[in-house]
Amino acid sequence: GRLVLIGGVALSLPDGGPGYDDQFLPLMFEVRQSGREAIDLMGRFSNGHIQQDLAFSPWAAVGAERQVFAWMAWSPPVDTPQYQALHRYFPDALPAEAVHRRAIQVLRQYGLNDVNTLLGTSFDPDNVNHEADCLGTLMQQYWGEVFPMGGLGGAPFTGKTGFAAFSSHVADEGH
């Protein structure tokens, strides 16, 4: 089987006021398989055809991708303080919904689907990380059963025994 790792920072946007979806700053997207070299998929979270050179002021420049995310109410509009702060301090953050949908699209190319894949997550157990627009919740809705390994700060609080328990839930020839 394969092990897929999607790692990063979950960014909860304020509830109340405008309902912007939570964001996720991807830092790792890999497919691993015993006896093979890891496949780095981080580049699949960006679209070079619509990117702008953000070297001058990354939080101020607005690309087509960001406009679409705002139009879909997945991200704050570009003329808001929330957008400015989000992209100044986390310039590569994406809406959780976009990360989720893109991951599904990419992983299908590797034969992973909701029937042959077990989702293991490691999110902080705080209720803010389990709302409808959070990456973990979105992924669980698609992938199904989840094996939670998260502790404070999202660090996986499981050792050798926990990973063995997780692995025992994976179907034969599953991922």
Side-chain angles (χ1 to χ4, degrees):
R2 295 183 181 108
L3 174 66
V4 176
L5 299 171
I6 300 175
V9 179
L11 303 164
S12 299
L13 296 187
D15 290 330
Y20 309 129
D21 286 357
D22 284 350
Q23 308 289 298
F24 187 78
L25 176 62
L27 300 172
M28 169 190 266
F29 187 19
E30 291 183 356
V31 175
R32 297 182 182 188
Q33 190 169 10
S34 182
R36 297 186 181 181
E37 215 167 296
I39 303 168
D40 182 359
L41 300 172
M42 271 300 290
R44 303 289 188 96
F45 282 133
S46 63
N47 183 342
H49 300 293
I50 60 172
Q51 298 296 318
Q52 295 179 350
D53 179 5
L54 303 181
F56 178 66
S57 73
W59 60 90
V62 181
E65 183 177 72
R66 303 284 179 206
Q67 291 283 17
V68 170
F69 292 155
W71 177 72
M72 296 184 78
W74 288 355
S75 291
V78 298
D79 60 349
T80 63
Q82 294 92 338
Y83 175 91
Q84 296 297 318
L86 177 66
H87 294 289
R88 179 177 192 159
Y89 298 107
F90 305 100
D92 294 327
L94 296 166
E97 183 77 39
V99 171
H100 167 63
R101 290 181 186 217
R102 185 65 180 144
I104 290 170
Q105 189 178 52
V106 170
L107 295 175
R108 282 183 185 156
Q109 298 170 15
Y110 291 89
L112 281 75
N113 58 53
D114 60 332
V115 174
N116 68 6
T117 304
L118 174 64
L119 174 65
T121 63
S122 185
F123 289 94
D124 188 299
D126 191 307
N127 63 347
V128 73
N129 292 317
H130 299 284
E131 295 175 350
D133 62 346
C134 295
L135 184 60
T137 304
L138 295 168
M139 293 179 86
Q140 184 176 358
Q141 288 171 352
Y142 177 81
W143 297 103
E145 182 183 358
V146 65
F147 191 93
M149 297 181 278
L152 295 177
F157 277 20
T158 187
K160 192 174 186 179
T161 304
F163 277 103
F166 173 62
S167 298
S168 73
H169 291 273
V170 177
D172 292 340
E173 302 302 318
H175 309 287

